Amino acid sequence: MARGRPAGLFVGLCTLDVIQLVDHPPGADEKLTARDQLVAAGGPAANAAVAFAHLGGTAALLTAIGRHALGAAATTDLNASGVTVTDLAAHSLEPPAVSSVLVTEATGERAVASTNATRHRLAPPDDLDALLAACDIVEFDGHHMELAVATARAARAAGRTTLFDGGSWKPGTETLLPFIDVAVCSADFHPPGTDTLRFLRQQGVAWSAVSAGAAPIVWAAPDAEGTVDVPTVRVADTLGAGDVLHGALAHHLARRAARPTTEHFVAALTAAAEVASRSCTSFGTRAWTAGRGPS
């Protein structure tokens, strides 16, 4: 549907990220004093929604957070970032998934430990049709897989463009992909038995790509294939860069009323790579949003 302001629905993981900037990852029994810290909502879908909102879109997140005080902190951060949250675990008093993140100052590399989405099995909300009617694009990160598959099936039936963030292979991914129009996977996404782009094509994904940090993004479409260069920047922190890539890609894809063309897909991927690279130039997952806005 055509809108003055693109609208996106993001389906997947929300965590509370505790991010510490350190000189080096600690060894056994070592204690470190961090140089800086950030506490913010995290998770691929949540960070993508924040990026989408920052770029001028209307972002909604379908996830599980709960009523615990730590969950309230995540929801408050998302709301402050312009993201509307539908919490399918609003009855739960358990704490949300907490990601402990260490970012090495000299390299921008990160180490992450989290329970992710293992504590919840989610069914679609009663107002799913209304959520889909209000959006132009639906993005999935592969967490909460039962919810993702049901929502993707409904999105396909409603004629919405669907986008998949393949950060890693997860059980059930093969049941989600038949309902996906666009998929961008990381180099850590390892489908069974074949390379990623070939596998995605076999699953019916029309437009696909594989990102690998600062290396060119390799893409494939029904009628062409190629690469997109990633801008060179001074890296401070790579945490969430892939999530930002997907949020920015969703934003640029949603600015068209129709499903993507190859030309549109490549242009959107190029623009998204620029935004994701910019997000790597500052510590944490929020500082980059204080800079240049919609583009």
Side-chain angles (χ1 to χ4, degrees):
M1 64 182 66
R3 301 177 187 275
R5 187 179 184 189
L9 176 63
F10 296 81
V11 182
L13 180 65
C14 180
T15 64
L16 184 69
D17 286 359
V18 180
I19 309 167
Q20 306 275 357
L21 183 66
V22 297
D23 291 327
H24 62 272
D29 294 325
E30 181 180 4
K31 295 182 179 180
L32 296 177
T33 298
R35 291 183 171 273
D36 201 352
Q37 71 173 13
L38 173 71
V39 178
N47 283 333
V50 169
F52 189 94
H54 173 66
L55 293 172
T58 300
L61 176 65
L62 191 57
T63 189
I65 299 177
R67 295 166 54 194
H68 190 277
L70 293 177
T75 300
T76 297
D77 175 67
L78 289 167
N79 291 161
S81 299
V83 177
T84 300
V85 178
T86 296
D87 182 6
L88 297 179
H91 61 283
S92 175
L93 297 176
E94 294 295 317
V98 176
S99 290
S100 299
V101 185
L102 297 178
V103 177
T104 302
E105 184 176 36
T107 64
E109 295 173 325
R110 74 280 192 273
V112 183
S114 177
T115 58
N116 290 334
T118 57
R119 295 187 177 184
H120 298 285
R121 294 186 63 181
L122 304 179
D126 293 338
D127 63 346
L128 179 61
D129 289 344
L131 290 172
L132 293 173
C135 75
D136 302 293
I137 192 167
V138 190
E139 192 253 26
F140 305 88
D141 65 10
H143 293 278
H144 301 302
M145 188 61 75
E146 293 179 8
L147 171 67
V149 172
T151 304
R153 183 183 290 112
R156 173 62 62 85
R160 298 296 179 262
T161 299
T162 51
L163 168 63
F164 174 60
D165 173 358
S168 62
W169 179 266
K170 300 174 181 65
T173 298
E174 70 281 358
T175 64
L176 175 62
L177 290 176
F179 304 105
I180 296 299
D181 298 310
V182 181
V184 179
C185 301
S186 78
D188 295 325
F189 183 85
H190 300 297
T194 186
D195 72 78
T196 296
L197 293 179
R198 182 179 297 115
F199 179 82
L200 293 171
R201 186 179 298 112
Q202 292 170 348
Q203 299 301 308
V205 179
W207 296 275
S208 59
V210 175
S211 64
I217 299 170
V218 183
W219 61 266
D223 54 354
E225 58 186 26
T227 61
V228 166
D229 288 334
V230 174
T232 300
V233 297
R234 183 173 181 177
V235 174
D237 186 358
T238 60
L239 181 66
D243 310 338
V244 173
L245 177 74
H246 285 85
L249 179 62
H251 180 265
H252 287 282
L253 290 175
R255 292 166 72 174
R256 279 176 57 102
R259 293 181 73 211
T261 63
T262 298
E263 181 181 9
H264 179 219
F265 171 58
V266 175
L269 199 58
T270 302
E274 191 278 331
V275 177
S277 293
R278 181 170 15 121
S279 76
C280 293
T281 62
S282 55
F283 168 66
T285 54
R286 293 291 181 270
W288 74 275
T289 63
R292 180 156 50 93
S295 62

